[in-house]
Amino acid sequence: MNSLRKPLALAALAAALLAAPAAHAYPESDDLIFAEFVTMCDTDKDGMVSKAEMMKMVEKMFDKQDKKKMGKLDKKQVEFFLQELMKGGGA
């Protein structure tokens, strides 16, 4: 699991960096997408997403793309992983 920590942290950081400018570009009606993502990640139902909750969601999404269960993603799998991440999870 330690070998996955750095790639998962980088993926979470990339998602945050990509989503930050986009969050300001969306009209208020698109806040539902963000609310759905919070709901999916918020396992303790406190209305907020902790780092642990976010990482758990990222790990689920990573595992979904790691079809051969190698603990690694090739370029194509990373592409699909990031597309899923930008769509809000769907895990």
Side-chain angles (χ1 to χ4, degrees):
M1 187 66 171
N2 282 338
S3 63
L4 293 178
R5 194 169 300 220
K6 188 174 181 178
L8 290 175
L10 289 173
L13 177 61
L17 291 173
L18 290 171
H24 297 290
Y26 288 115
E28 287 182 30
S29 62
D30 287 336
D31 285 345
L32 289 175
I33 294 169
F34 302 117
E36 288 176 20
F37 187 76
V38 169
T39 300
M40 283 190 324
C41 292
D42 184 19
T43 57
D44 64 5
K45 306 300 179 210
D46 67 352
M48 297 184 289
V49 179
S50 69
K51 181 178 180 179
E53 290 169 326
M54 179 70 72
M55 294 308 292
K56 190 172 188 177
M57 175 59 74
V58 171
E59 285 179 16
K60 275 175 135 178
M61 294 169 63
F62 182 97
D63 291 344
K64 182 178 175 184
Q65 293 305 319
D66 184 16
K67 302 204 185 307
K68 294 180 184 175
K69 305 301 176 208
M70 296 173 41
K72 300 176 184 179
L73 300 179
D74 62 26
K75 185 178 177 183
K76 190 83 169 164
Q77 290 169 314
V78 169
E79 181 181 336
F80 286 117
F81 171 85
L82 291 174
Q83 287 174 353
E84 284 293 308
L85 194 61
M86 294 310 296
K87 286 193 289 189

